[in-house]
Amino acid sequence: WDGGDANPGRGGAPDNPRWARDLVFANNTVLNSSNGGIWGGMGQGVVVSGNVVDGCGDVCLDAEGSNDVNFTDNVASNARSGVLTVFFNSQHVRFERNTVVQDGTHHPEWKRLLRTCNPTDVGAANKIAVTLANNHFRYTNATGLGLLLKDAGMVFRFVNNTLENCVLSFNVNYISDMTESIFIEDNTLSFSRLVSAAPVSTMPLGATTTAPISTGGATVSVRGNTLVS
């Protein structure tokens, strides 16, 4: 969908209208796209449900500068930049009951199943509000771990998800001044291999240093999570 340029410097400010409205993408199959699978910019009231998306040169399921977007009951796998992604000023984006798989072959270093905001967009991303609930994330490569990465954003809710050989990582540089609330509750993280990084951490995989989260007054709740190995 294309309801305008999502870049805030070219029309994607939070209060600008989203011209791609009331759209439904349901029960489609998208395979081996050189770019994105099902994605768009400047949408309002978009439903993406029951689709199969696999093998994307960029992202599989993506909302950019879009509000009130629901991704539900999809099977999405194997993308270079991230299987599920959200960029720019996007509010009330919800991923629920999706199966998300990454085999690590599209980009052997990134291995991303989730990404919210590219750091280069950080000045334009303080309005990102994302909920992920009841999803199943699975990294299937024989070695390493998959990465779910939160960069900038205003609200991040991560509840009742299941992760297999994946870690959830926060870039601490974008927490204190951007975030109003973080909820990480009632998730199950299981591992069938040696875990050399913290399952939930404040820096991306491969970082040489870490630091405690400085919340800047944000509400942070981490509770009820289960680790299995």
Side-chain angles (χ1 to χ4, degrees):
W1 64 92
D2 184 1
D5 194 327
N7 189 312
R10 300 192 296 267
D15 295 332
N16 284 352
R18 273 60 182 159
W19 294 114
R21 293 175 172 266
D22 303 322
L23 304 174
V24 177
F25 300 85
N27 304 316
N28 302 285
T29 299
V30 181
L31 304 175
N32 301 318
S33 168
S34 61
N35 192 7
I38 301 176
W39 68 285
M42 298 296 280
Q44 180 85 41
V46 180
V47 174
V48 180
S49 181
N51 303 282
V52 175
V53 182
D54 177 66
C56 296
D58 188 16
V59 295
C60 284
L61 301 176
D62 172 46
E64 302 189 9
S66 296
N67 300 333
D68 302 308
V69 182
N70 289 286
F71 296 91
T72 60
D73 302 300
N74 301 285
V75 177
S77 53
N78 302 323
R80 185 179 188 275
S81 299
V83 181
L84 307 182
T85 53
V86 182
F87 297 105
F88 298 117
N89 292 308
S90 295
Q91 300 188 58
H92 308 299
V93 177
R94 187 175 184 89
F95 296 92
E96 187 166 12
R97 298 186 307 275
N98 301 287
T99 297
V100 185
V101 180
Q102 182 75 283
D103 66 12
T105 60
H106 279 64
H107 196 294
E109 294 180 7
W110 288 348
K111 306 175 183 178
R112 297 178 188 140
L113 290 87
L114 168 72
R115 188 169 201 190
T116 63
C117 178
N118 187 313
T120 58
D121 306 332
V122 67
N126 58 331
K127 294 297 184 181
I128 283 183
V130 180
T131 296
L132 298 105
N134 303 299
N135 302 286
H136 186 183
F137 296 91
R138 187 168 73 252
Y139 182 69
T140 60
N141 196 287
T143 61
L145 297 169
L147 176 62
L148 285 68
L149 177 61
K150 178 201 177 295
D151 282 321
M154 180 176 64
V155 176
F156 185 80
R157 300 178 186 272
F158 193 83
V159 297
N160 292 312
N161 299 287
T162 301
L163 287 68
E164 295 183 35
N165 293 318
C166 300
V167 296
L168 175 61
S169 183
F170 294 79
N171 194 325
V172 71
N173 296 327
Y174 305 132
I175 291 178
S176 62
D177 59 344
M178 289 287 182
T179 302
E180 290 182 5
S181 60
I182 298 172
F183 297 90
I184 308 170
E185 299 178 343
D186 303 314
N187 304 285
T188 299
L189 297 84
S190 63
F191 300 92
S192 62
R193 62 198 60 173
L194 180 66
V195 180
S196 59
V200 179
S201 69
T202 59
M203 286 295 284
L205 282 176
T208 57
T209 60
T210 188
I213 293 177
S214 174
T215 63
T219 298
V220 177
S221 174
V222 182
R223 64 181 183 179
N225 301 288
T226 301
L227 302 181
V228 180
S229 63

